[in-house]
Amino acid sequence: MSITYLEAIREAQARALAEDPRVFIYGQDVGAFGGAFKATKNLLKEYPGRVLDSPLSEDGIVGAAIGAALEGMRPIVEMQFADFSICGFNQIVNQAATLYYRTGVPCPITVRLPSGGTEGGGPFHSQSMEAIYAHYPGLIVMTPATVEDAYSMLLEAVAIDDPVIFFEHKFLYYHLKAEKLPEVAVPCNKARVARAGRDATIVTYSAMVHEALAAAEELVSDGYQIEVVDLRTIKPLDTDTVLASVARTGRMLCVGEAWPWGGVTAEVIARVATEGFGLLDAPPQRLNAKDTPVPYHPRLWGTHRPTAQTIANATRRLLKL
Amino acid sequence: MSITYLEAIREAQARALAEDPRVFIYGQDVGAFGGAFKATKNLLKEYPGRVLDSPLSEDGIVGAAIGAALEGMRPIVEMQFADFSICGFNQIVNQAATLYYRTGVPCPITVRLPSGGTEGGGPFHSQSMEAIYAHYPGLIVMTPATVEDAYSMLLEAVAIDDPVIFFEHKFLYYHLKAEKLPEVAVPCNKARVARAGRDATIVTYSAMVHEALAAAEELVSDGYQIEVVDLRTIKPLDTDTVLASVARTGRMLCVGEAWPWGGVTAEVIARVATEGFGLLDAPPQRLNAKDTPVPYHPRLWGTHRPTAQTIANATRRLLKL
Amino acid sequence: SKKDIALYLRAFKFMLQARIAEDKLASLYRAGKIVGGVFLGKGQEALSASLGVNLRKGDVFAPLIRDQAGRLAFGDTILDTFRTYLGSALGSMRGRDGNIHRGRPQEGYYPMISHLGAMVSLVSGALMARKFRGETGMVGATCLGDGGTSTGAFHEGLNIAAVEKLPLVLVIANNQYAYSTPNTRQFACKELVDKAIGYGVQGHDVDGTSLAECMRVVGEAVESARKGGGPQIVVAKLLRLVGHGEHDDAGYIDVNLKKASVGQDCLVLAEKYILNQGFATAEEIKSWKAEISEEVESVAARVQREPLPDPEGEEWTAISTETLRESI
Amino acid sequence: SKKDIALYLRAFKFMLQARIAEDKLASLYRAGKIVGGVFLGKGQEALSASLGVNLRKGDVFAPLIRDQAGRLAFGDTILDTFRTYLGSALGSMRGRDGNIHRGRPQEGYYPMISHLGAMVSLVSGALMARKFRGETGMVGATCLGDGGTSTGAFHEGLNIAAVEKLPLVLVIANNQYAYSTPNTRQFACKELVDKAIGYGVQGHDVDGTSLAECMRVVGEAVESARKGGGPQIVVAKLLRLVGHGEHDDAGYIDVNLKKASVGQDCLVLAEKYILNQGFATAEEIKSWKAEISEEVESVAARVQREPLPDPEGEEWTAISTETLRESI
Ligand SMILES: Cc1ncc(C[n+]2csc(CCOP(=O)(O)OP(=O)(O)O)c2C)c(N)n1
Ligand SMILES: Cc1ncc(C[n+]2csc(CCOP(=O)(O)OP(=O)(O)O)c2C)c(N)n1
Ligand SMILES: [Mg+2]
Ligand SMILES: [Mg+2]
C-alpha cells in the first residue's frame, strides 16, 4: 500500500472527525462532492452532518468557523484555493488572530489552503501566501513538505488551541507518496534536517524541499555535500535548527516559492544574520519566485519559480563566495 | 506660515485636482465632511463633483477606482484607517497590482492609508500594514516621514502610472510641521540620509524616523555619531543608499513600527546581508513592534512600539557588538 | 399585562443606565481621562435595550458601537464598561482593547472588532455550533448600522444564516448617517428592510424612537427566531443624537431630521409614556436616576484608582499554546 | 421585424461559434495540449450571446467564465481565444494569463480575475468615469453565476452602482450549481431576482434556454440602462450542460433537472425555432456550421504553430514605470 500527500490530508481529517466530536469541515464543495481536490472524499458519507458545503463566501466561511470555535467546536475550513483565502483574510488576521490576545479566549480553527504553483495555474490559482499570514501576530503557519507531515501536522493543527493556517502544496498532492502514515510525529514547531551535509545549508519548506533535495543530489557529482533544512512550520520558526546547520556548514541559501519582498527567505536571513552572524563564512543568499504574478504558461512558470536547476546554480555561486 | 503633515496631504490633493482633470477622490466621508482626519477639507467645495462620498464598502471602493483608472481617470482613494484597507485588499493586490503584468495596461490609482499607532487607537486603528502590500508584485509602497515628502510624494503617487499604496502616519498628522512646501522634490525611489553619522546606521521610515533621530541625538552625549537613513519608499527599496551608509558606519540597526515577521526590517537586513555582508563589522540588528495586536492603553502601546529610548538602547547594544 | 409593564420598565432602566453612564464617559473624555475615542448610543437606547431584555443566558450577543443599553441588559456591567474605556488592568479587555471593543466570549457576549459587518458571520457560526449539538430555543443576536449594510461581510454572513436557517436576529439601526454619510449616499433601496426578501429572511421595521414599538417588534423577531422561524432582520428608523464619536460635533446632520419625529429622544418619549400610562411616578423615575447616577459616579471614581496595565508584567504574546510562542 | 430576425440570427451565429470553438478547446484539453483547465459555457450561449449583441463599441464589458458567445459578440476573436488557452506569445495575455482570463482593457473588454464578484465594482467604476466626462448612452455589462451572488464583492459593487445610478447591466446565470453546490446550499431567497428590490435596482428574469426570450429581456435591460434607468439585473434560469471544467464529469447534477425544461439545450432550441419560423433553412445552418468548424480548425492549427512565450525574452516585472522597477 502507498499513500499520497493528498490522501494523507484526507486521512488526517477522517481521523480528526472520528476522534473528536467537536470537529467539522466547512467549505465550498467539501460535502458529497469531496472537495475540488477530493481532500474530503467520502467524509460526508462517513460522518453525516459534519461536512458542510458553504456558499461562495470566504469571509463568511471563516467568520462562521470562528463563531463555531467560540462555542466549543474545532472547525476545519477548506478554501478551494489558497488564493481565494484573501477574501477571508480580514476574519483570519483581525478576528481569529486577535481573539486570544484581546480576550484570553483561544480560537481553535484550522484553515486549509491548497497552495503553490502548478502547470497552467496562472496568477490566481498558484499563489504562495504564507508570508502575509506569518506577518500577523496570533497565527500558526504550517507548510508541510512530506506525506508524513501533511498527516501528522494537520492532526496537530486541529488539536492546537490557536488558529492554524495550513498550507498544503497542490504540486505535491498526487505524485508525492509514502509507504504508510506515521505513528509518532515530530512536533510541528521543530524543523527537520532533510538531508545531512557539510559544505552549505539550503533552508526551505513545502514543495521547494524536493527541488532543494534534487539540487543537493546533483551537487554530489560536483563533490559537494549540501545540507537541506525543511522548516515544516514557518511561524513559529525553528531558528535553532537553522543556526545549528549553518554552524556546521558556514554557508546558507534560503529558497522559497513565494515572492521575495518580506518572504520566508527574508525572515530566515534576518534571523541568521542577527543571531548567527559569526557562523557565516559567506554572505547568506536567497532564491525566490520572480516578483511578478505567477504566469500561466508552463514555460514562463518554470522560470518564475525556483527549480532544482536554479537552486543548484545558486548553491554553486554560494560555494564560490 | 507653517504647515502640518496633514495639511501637506490636503494641499497635494488640491494641487492634483487643480492640475489634472483626471483626478478625483473617492472614500468614506471625504466630501462635504472633509474626511475623518480632514485630509480633504474643502476640496469638494473647491472642486465640485470631484470628491465623492462612498458607501461603507472598501472592496467596492477600490474596485471602482480601478475601473475608473482603466477609463482614463486618476483616482485617489482614501481609506478611513489603513486597518480597513484589508477589506479592499483583494482588489488591490489581485486586480490593480496584476493588471499591467497581465495586460500591459497600467492601473494608475493611489490608495491613501492613514496608518500607524496613536494613543488609544487599539488593535484595529493602529496597524502598520506596509509589509503585506510590499510583498505583492505590482505595487509602489510609499511611507513618507516628513511634511515635504508627504506633499511631494503624494503628488508623485498620483502621477505614477502604477498603483501606489500611500502610507501616511496618523501620529505625524498634526504635530509635524514645516515652514513651507517644497518646490523641488527628491524622487520617491531615493532614500534620504536624514542625519549623517559615523559609528552606526539606523535604517527606518515613516514615524520611526523621528524616534530614530531623537535616539541619535541622545547618543551624541555618549560620544556617538549615528547616521539615520529614511527609506521614504519601501518598494522599490533604495538598497544602494542603505549600503552606502553601512559602508561608512559598518553597523546597522533597522527599525520599524510594524510586526517583525517579514517586515521592512527583515527585508532590509536580507538585502544588506546578501549584498553588503563584507561591509558589516557587527551583526545587523532589528527593532520592531512586539508580535501582538497593537494594544489600546497608552502604557502598553508605548512599550509595544519602538521609541527613541528603546532605539537608543538597541543602538548602544549594537555599538558594543 | 403586568408582565409587559415590568419588562418595559426593565428596559427603561437599562436605557437610563446607558444614558447616564455614557454622559459620564463623555465628560471623562472631555477631561482627557479617556484617550482614543468615546462612542455613544444616545437616541438608540430604546432599540438596543429592547434587544437586550429579550435575550437570555445561553443566547449569543454580538453588540456594536451604540449598544450600551443592550449590553447592560445582556449582563454587561457599568463597572466593566468604565474599566474597558479607562483601560483598567482589571477589565475584561485588560487595557489590550478598549471602549466599545468589549465582551466576554466565554459567556456568549462577543467583543466586536472594528471592521463593520464582521460579527454577522461570527454569530451565524456560533448558531451552527449549537445546531450541531442539537440545542434549540436559543438565538444569536447582532447589531449593525445603515452603513454596515454596505459591507460584503454583512451580505455573506446573513446569507449563510439564511441558508442554514439559523435563529439569527440582526438588528439594523438606521440612524440616517454613517459617520457623515447620509442614507442617500449609502443605499438606493426605498427601505433597508426591503433587503429581507432577497436573503429569504423575515423582515421587520420599527420606529426606533418608541420603546413600546421596539419592545413589541424586537420581541416578536426574537420570539420567531427562537421558535425556528429562521433569521430575522429588524430595521429601526431613528437618529443619532450625538456625534459619531465625542470628537465630532455632527454639524452635518440635517436640521429637518432633528425636528422631525425620527429626531425625537427615545428616552424622553419613554419617560412621558411611563407617566401617561401610570407605570411609575415622576418621583420613582427621579429616584432611579439618582441611584444610577450615584452608581456611575462611584464606579468612575473606583476605576480611576484601579491598577493600570503593567507593560513589564505583560506576557507579550498572541499565542495561547506555550510551546508555540516565540519572541522575535 | 426584419431587424429583429437579423439580430436573432446574429446572436445564433455567435452561439454556434462559441459551441464549436469550445468543443475544439475541450478536445485539445483531452489531448493534453491545453494545461490548467478548460471551462465551457455549454447551455448558456443564448444568454451570453444576447448580452453581447446588445452591446456596442464604447460600452464596457467584463464577461465571466461561461461567456464565450458574448465575448465573440463583443469583438473578441476565436483566434485570441485559442491563443490565450494555448498560451501563445501573440495572444493578448501573452501566456502570462490564460483560458477565460482574457480581455483587452483598452477596448473596454475587461479580463476577469478569478476572484468571483470582483468585476462588478470595476465596471461600476468605469461607468463613474464616463459619468465624470458627461458621456451618456453607453452601458457597462458584467456577468456572474448563482454562486457569485454570495460574494461580498457582488454586494458592494452592485450597491455602489445603485447609489450612483449607473448604467450597469449585471447578468446572472443561475445554472443551478456553483461547481457541485446546488442553489439550496447557496441562497435562501425564492428567486435570485428578489434581490433587486433590496438594492433599488430593476430586476428581470428570463428563461435562459430560449434565445428569443433572452434577446427580448436582455435587450430591454440594456435599453433601459442606456436610457438612464439605472442598474439592471437579469437573472436567467438554465442548466450548465457540461462539467464545471472539462476535468469534471458533473455527476452531481440532478437527473430531473436534466430532463426538465431548464435542462434543454438553448442551441438546439434556437435551431428548431429558426427552422419553424423560417428565418433560415437547414442547409444555410449547415453551411454556417461548416464555415465555423473550418475557421476553428484552421485557427487551432495556426495557433499551435505560433511562438510560445520566451522566458529569456520576458521582462520580468509587474511595474510599468521603468524608473521604479527593481530586481529582487
Ligand atoms: C469595514 C469598515 N470600514 C470603515 C470603518 C470606519 N467606520 C467606523 S464607524 C463608521 C460609520 C458606521 O456607520 P453605521 O454603520 O451607519 O453605524 P453608526 O455609526 O451610524 O451607528 C465607519 C465608516 C469601519 N469601522 N469598518
Ligand atoms: C472568491 C472565489 N471563491 C472561490 C472560487 C472558486 N470557484 C471558481 S468557479 C466556482 C463556482 C462558481 O459558481 P457560479 O458562480 O454559480 O458560476 P458557474 O460556474 O456556475 O458558472 C468557484 C467556487 C472563486 N473563483 N472565487
Ligand atoms: Mg448609521
Ligand atoms: Mg452556477
Side-chain angles (χ1 to χ4, degrees):
Chain A
M1 168 268 200
S2 107
I3 180 163
T4 66
Y5 182 94
L6 178 64
E7 288 161 348
I9 287 164
R10 191 254 173 224
E11 290 313 310
Q13 293 180 98
R15 182 169 161 187
L17 284 161
E19 294 179 351
D20 189 341
R22 302 169 303 173
V23 173
F24 74 99
I25 301 175
Y26 193 45
Q28 293 150 16
D29 307 295
V30 295
F33 189 60
F37 296 97
K38 295 284 168 279
T40 58
K41 189 174 177 191
N42 294 328
L43 291 180
L44 174 61
K45 214 180 293 152
E46 296 167 23
Y47 302 93
R50 294 174 63 192
V51 186
L52 276 77
D53 286 331
S54 74
L56 212 159
S57 308
E58 283 75 12
D59 183 273
I61 290 166
V62 178
I66 297 166
L70 283 175
E71 296 301 308
M73 305 295 286
R74 297 260 156 176
I76 299 173
V77 165
E78 173 179 299
M79 293 284 172
Q80 202 151 75
F81 284 80
D83 313 53
F84 304 127
S85 71
I86 205 84
C87 299
F89 196 56
N90 179 46
Q91 294 281 11
I92 294 173
V93 301
N94 283 319
Q95 189 100 258
T98 64
L99 228 126
Y100 172 73
Y101 178 76
R102 295 167 64 226
T103 67
V105 176
C107 183
I109 67 169
T110 299
V111 182
R112 288 182 39 234
L113 301 184
S115 175
T118 55
E119 286 205 330
F124 310 115
H125 292 75
S126 304
Q127 294 176 14
S128 299
M129 297 165 65
E130 50 276 5
I132 63 167
Y133 283 101
H135 182 63
Y136 279 85
L139 301 173
I140 306 299
V141 183
M142 299 185 183
T143 53
T146 67
V147 176
E148 292 79 0
D149 280 351
Y151 179 76
S152 64
M153 289 171 76
L154 182 49
L155 281 169
E156 204 173 347
V158 176
I160 289 170
D161 281 343
D162 297 287
V164 177
I165 312 303
F166 191 82
F167 283 90
E168 35 192 69
H169 204 297
K170 302 191 296 290
F171 190 73
L172 306 178
Y173 268 167
Y174 311 103
H175 82 262
L176 196 65
K177 293 191 177 64
E179 269 325 296
K180 54 177 185 45
L181 296 172
E183 267 84 58
V184 290
V186 189
C188 68
N189 59 336
K190 293 269 163 283
R192 173 181 70 103
V193 175
R195 177 192 177 108
R198 182 189 59 205
D199 303 314
T201 298
I202 300 177
V203 178
T204 187
Y205 60 98
S206 192
M208 285 296 134
V209 168
H210 306 282
E211 301 292 331
L213 288 170
E217 197 53 46
E218 179 183 329
L219 287 163
V220 169
S221 49
D222 301 34
Y224 294 117
Q225 292 179 31
I226 306 302
E227 184 149 306
V228 176
V229 174
D230 171 7
L231 293 171
R232 302 179 69 237
T233 293
I234 61 153
K235 193 174 186 180
L237 199 154
D238 181 4
T239 315
D240 294 347
T241 298
V242 174
L243 289 171
S245 176
V246 174
R248 282 189 290 275
T249 65
R251 284 177 153 72
M252 178 177 74
L253 169 69
C254 297
V255 178
E257 185 178 331
W259 295 302
W261 203 108
V264 172
T265 59
E267 180 63 24
V268 169
I269 290 178
R271 292 180 184 216
V272 170
T274 55
E275 300 171 42
F277 192 69
L279 307 172
L280 290 161
D281 304 329
Q285 299 297 309
R286 58 176 171 169
L287 184 63
N288 297 290
K290 294 193 187 295
D291 195 33
T292 72
V294 184
Y296 164 76
H297 193 282
R299 284 187 70 179
L300 297 178
W301 175 65
T303 305
H304 183 268
R305 72 194 273 260
T307 59
Q309 196 48 58
T310 56
I311 295 170
N313 294 339
T315 309
R316 286 193 186 92
R317 285 194 300 275
L318 171 63
L319 289 160
K320 291 193 180 51
L321 289 174
Chain B
M1 164 266 205
S2 107
I3 181 162
T4 65
Y5 184 94
L6 179 64
E7 289 161 348
I9 288 164
R10 190 254 173 222
E11 291 312 310
Q13 293 179 95
R15 182 168 161 188
L17 285 161
E19 295 180 350
D20 189 341
R22 302 170 303 172
V23 173
F24 74 99
I25 301 175
Y26 193 45
Q28 293 150 18
D29 307 294
V30 295
F33 188 61
F37 297 97
K38 296 282 170 280
T40 59
K41 190 176 177 187
N42 294 330
L43 291 180
L44 175 61
K45 213 179 295 152
E46 297 167 22
Y47 302 94
R50 294 174 63 192
V51 186
L52 276 77
D53 285 330
S54 74
L56 213 159
S57 307
E58 283 76 12
D59 184 273
I61 291 166
V62 177
I66 298 167
L70 283 177
E71 296 301 308
M73 305 296 287
R74 295 260 159 176
I76 299 173
V77 166
E78 173 179 299
M79 293 285 172
Q80 202 150 75
F81 284 80
D83 313 53
F84 303 127
S85 71
I86 205 84
C87 300
F89 197 56
N90 180 46
Q91 294 281 12
I92 295 173
V93 302
N94 283 320
Q95 190 99 259
T98 66
L99 207 86
Y100 172 72
Y101 178 76
R102 294 167 65 226
T103 68
V105 175
C107 183
I109 68 169
T110 298
V111 183
R112 289 183 39 237
L113 303 183
S115 174
T118 55
E119 285 206 330
F124 310 115
H125 293 74
S126 305
Q127 293 177 15
S128 299
M129 297 164 64
E130 51 274 6
I132 64 167
Y133 283 101
H135 183 62
Y136 280 85
L139 301 173
I140 306 299
V141 183
M142 300 185 181
T143 54
T146 68
V147 176
E148 292 79 0
D149 280 351
Y151 180 76
S152 64
M153 289 170 76
L154 182 49
L155 280 169
E156 202 173 348
V158 175
I160 289 170
D161 281 343
D162 297 287
V164 177
I165 311 303
F166 191 82
F167 283 91
E168 34 192 71
H169 204 297
K170 301 190 297 288
F171 191 72
L172 306 177
Y173 269 166
Y174 310 102
H175 83 261
L176 195 66
K177 294 191 176 65
E179 270 325 296
K180 52 177 185 48
L181 295 172
E183 266 84 58
V184 289
V186 189
C188 68
N189 58 335
K190 293 268 163 282
R192 172 181 71 103
V193 174
R195 176 189 177 107
R198 181 189 59 205
D199 303 315
T201 299
I202 301 177
V203 178
T204 187
Y205 61 98
S206 192
M208 284 295 133
V209 167
H210 306 282
E211 301 293 330
L213 288 170
E217 197 54 46
E218 179 182 331
L219 288 163
V220 169
S221 48
D222 301 35
Y224 293 116
Q225 293 180 30
I226 305 302
E227 184 148 306
V228 176
V229 174
D230 172 6
L231 292 172
R232 300 177 73 240
T233 293
I234 61 154
K235 192 172 188 182
L237 198 154
D238 181 4
T239 315
D240 294 347
T241 298
V242 173
L243 288 172
S245 176
V246 174
R248 283 189 289 274
T249 65
R251 284 176 153 70
M252 178 176 75
L253 170 68
C254 297
V255 178
E257 186 178 331
W259 294 302
W261 203 109
V264 173
T265 59
E267 180 63 25
V268 169
I269 290 179
R271 292 179 185 218
V272 170
T274 54
E275 300 171 42
F277 193 70
L279 307 172
L280 290 161
D281 304 329
Q285 299 296 311
R286 58 175 169 169
L287 184 63
N288 297 290
K290 295 194 188 294
D291 195 33
T292 72
V294 184
Y296 165 77
H297 194 282
R299 286 187 69 179
L300 296 179
W301 176 65
T303 305
H304 183 268
R305 71 194 274 260
T307 59
Q309 197 49 57
T310 55
I311 295 170
N313 295 341
T315 310
R316 288 194 185 90
R317 283 193 301 275
L318 171 64
L319 289 159
K320 291 190 180 49
L321 288 173
Chain C
S1 83
K2 268 207 149 5
K3 212 168 128 296
D4 294 342
I5 295 171
L7 198 62
Y8 185 100
L9 291 178
R10 218 170 146 255
F12 177 73
K13 287 182 190 172
F14 286 121
M15 292 171 66
L16 274 180
Q17 286 184 30
R19 181 70 63 93
I20 294 168
E22 289 195 335
D23 285 345
K24 181 65 181 181
L25 290 170
S27 66
L28 288 173
Y29 175 79
R30 285 190 298 272
K33 299 245 169 74
I34 294 173
V35 293
V38 166
F39 305 88
L40 308 184
K42 187 174 182 181
Q44 306 189 192
E45 294 94 339
L47 178 67
S48 187
S50 298
L51 179 58
V53 298
N54 278 287
L55 299 177
R56 326 173 174 142
K57 276 239 158 316
D59 290 339
V60 165
F61 184 37
L64 213 72
I65 309 175
R66 313 203 187 274
D67 287 306
Q68 183 62 35
R71 288 169 182 265
L72 294 170
F74 190 67
D76 194 5
T77 61
I78 291 174
L79 179 59
D80 204 48
T81 303
F82 278 73
R83 282 177 163 170
T84 303
Y85 261 104
L86 287 158
S88 162
L90 307 181
S92 47
M93 310 309 280
R94 298 163 295 166
R96 295 178 175 191
D97 207 342
N99 51 58
I100 52 187
H101 305 88
R102 182 173 78 252
R104 291 183 302 282
Q106 58 278 40
E107 296 168 26
Y109 173 41
Y110 294 172
M112 61 180 279
I113 66 169
S114 299
H115 301 69
L116 292 170
M119 305 309 289
V120 180
S121 57
L122 216 74
V123 173
S124 300
L127 295 171
M128 284 168 67
R130 305 300 188 95
K131 201 171 159 188
F132 277 119
R133 290 202 293 266
E135 295 177 28
T136 56
M138 56 83 63
V139 304
T142 188
C143 306
L144 213 56
D146 42 288
T149 65
S150 299
T151 61
F154 153 82
H155 175 69
E156 297 191 2
L158 180 56
N159 183 59
I160 284 175
V163 167
E164 301 292 341
K165 310 249 172 310
L166 301 170
L168 173 75
V169 180
L170 174 53
V171 174
I172 299 169
N174 181 0
N175 60 10
Q176 313 303 313
Y177 291 87
Y179 209 151
S180 76
T181 306
N183 281 183
T184 50
R185 295 294 302 164
Q186 194 65 246
F187 55 83
C189 49
K190 282 200 188 50
E191 301 294 339
L192 279 176
V193 73
D194 294 345
K195 292 186 178 291
I197 185 176
Y199 292 92
V201 302
Q202 206 173 325
H204 313 256
D205 53 10
V206 62
D207 171 359
T209 67
S210 161
L211 176 58
E213 279 306 290
C214 289
M215 289 295 288
R216 183 177 62 77
V217 174
V218 174
E220 283 167 10
V222 171
E223 206 40 41
S224 147
R226 267 195 217 293
K227 290 218 176 83
Q232 313 282 319
I233 67 174
V234 178
V235 179
K237 272 216 201 59
L238 38 70
L239 187 66
R240 171 165 39 85
L241 301 181
V242 284
H244 172 65
E246 281 309 279
H247 60 278
D248 170 28
D249 67 7
Y252 46 79
I253 291 185
D254 181 343
V255 286
N256 299 318
L257 282 173
K258 291 185 189 169
K259 294 199 216 100
S261 71
V262 72
Q264 300 174 93
D265 183 339
C266 58
L267 188 63
V268 172
L269 294 184
E271 189 165 339
K272 279 213 194 89
Y273 186 83
I274 288 171
L275 296 173
N276 293 343
Q277 302 286 317
F279 292 171
T281 66
E283 291 60 38
E284 288 174 300
I285 295 177
K286 197 147 166 288
S287 70
W288 297 339
K289 290 181 179 170
E291 273 168 41
I292 295 167
S293 300
E294 204 172 294
E295 182 191 356
V296 165
E297 289 302 329
S298 72
V299 163
R302 167 180 169 186
V303 171
Q304 290 178 75
R305 290 190 304 271
E306 284 182 349
L308 295 173
D310 167 21
E312 309 315 312
E314 274 282 305
E315 58 173 19
W316 287 102
T317 180
I319 297 292
S320 74
T321 310
E322 278 173 28
T323 54
L324 298 179
R325 293 173 179 171
E326 66 174 345
S327 58
I328 329 177
Chain D
S1 83
K2 267 210 150 6
K3 208 167 129 301
D4 294 341
I5 295 171
L7 199 61
Y8 185 99
L9 291 178
R10 206 162 161 264
F12 176 73
K13 288 182 189 169
F14 286 121
M15 291 171 66
L16 273 182
Q17 285 184 30
R19 180 70 62 93
I20 293 169
E22 290 195 334
D23 285 344
K24 181 64 181 183
L25 290 170
S27 66
L28 288 173
Y29 175 78
R30 284 189 299 272
K33 298 244 170 75
I34 294 174
V35 293
V38 166
F39 305 88
L40 308 184
K42 187 173 183 181
Q44 306 189 191
E45 294 94 340
L47 178 67
S48 187
S50 299
L51 179 58
V53 297
N54 277 287
L55 300 176
R56 328 172 173 143
K57 274 237 159 318
D59 289 339
V60 165
F61 184 37
L64 212 70
I65 310 176
R66 314 204 185 273
D67 287 305
Q68 183 62 35
R71 289 170 181 264
L72 294 171
F74 191 66
D76 192 6
T77 61
I78 290 174
L79 178 61
D80 203 48
T81 303
F82 278 73
R83 281 176 164 171
T84 302
Y85 261 103
L86 287 159
S88 162
L90 307 181
S92 47
M93 310 309 280
R94 299 163 295 168
R96 295 178 176 191
D97 206 342
N99 50 58
I100 53 187
H101 304 89
R102 182 173 81 250
R104 290 183 303 282
Q106 58 278 40
E107 297 169 27
Y109 173 40
Y110 293 173
M112 60 180 279
I113 66 169
S114 299
H115 300 70
L116 292 170
M119 304 310 289
V120 180
S121 57
L122 216 76
V123 174
S124 300
L127 296 171
M128 283 168 68
R130 305 299 187 96
K131 201 170 158 189
F132 278 119
R133 290 203 292 266
E135 296 177 28
T136 56
M138 56 84 62
V139 303
T142 188
C143 306
L144 212 56
D146 41 289
T149 64
S150 298
T151 61
F154 153 83
H155 176 70
E156 297 190 2
L158 179 56
N159 184 58
I160 284 176
V163 167
E164 302 290 342
K165 310 251 172 308
L166 300 169
L168 172 75
V169 179
L170 173 54
V171 174
I172 299 170
N174 181 0
N175 61 9
Q176 313 304 314
Y177 292 87
Y179 209 153
S180 77
T181 306
N183 281 182
T184 52
R185 294 294 301 166
Q186 194 65 245
F187 56 82
C189 49
K190 281 202 190 48
E191 300 294 339
L192 279 176
V193 73
D194 294 344
K195 291 186 179 293
I197 185 174
Y199 292 93
V201 302
Q202 205 173 324
H204 313 255
D205 53 10
V206 61
D207 172 359
T209 67
S210 160
L211 176 58
E213 278 306 289
C214 288
M215 287 296 286
R216 182 177 63 77
V217 174
V218 173
E220 282 167 10
V222 171
E223 206 40 41
S224 150
R226 266 195 218 292
K227 290 218 175 83
Q232 313 282 318
I233 67 173
V234 179
V235 179
K237 274 217 200 57
L238 38 70
L239 187 66
R240 171 163 42 85
L241 301 181
V242 282
H244 171 65
E246 281 309 281
H247 59 279
D248 171 27
D249 66 9
Y252 46 78
I253 291 185
D254 180 344
V255 288
N256 299 318
L257 283 173
K258 292 185 188 169
K259 293 198 219 102
S261 72
V262 72
Q264 300 173 94
D265 183 338
C266 58
L267 188 63
V268 172
L269 294 184
E271 189 164 340
K272 279 212 196 89
Y273 185 84
I274 289 171
L275 296 174
N276 294 342
Q277 301 286 319
F279 291 173
T281 65
E283 290 60 39
E284 289 174 299
I285 295 178
K286 196 147 165 289
S287 70
W288 297 338
K289 290 181 180 171
E291 274 169 40
I292 295 167
S293 300
E294 203 172 294
E295 184 192 356
V296 165
E297 289 302 328
S298 72
V299 163
R302 167 180 168 185
V303 171
Q304 289 179 76
R305 290 190 306 270
E306 285 181 349
L308 294 174
D310 166 22
E312 309 315 313
E314 273 282 304
E315 58 174 19
W316 285 103
T317 180
I319 298 292
S320 73
T321 310
E322 277 173 31
T323 55
L324 298 179
R325 293 173 179 170
E326 66 173 346
S327 57
I328 329 179

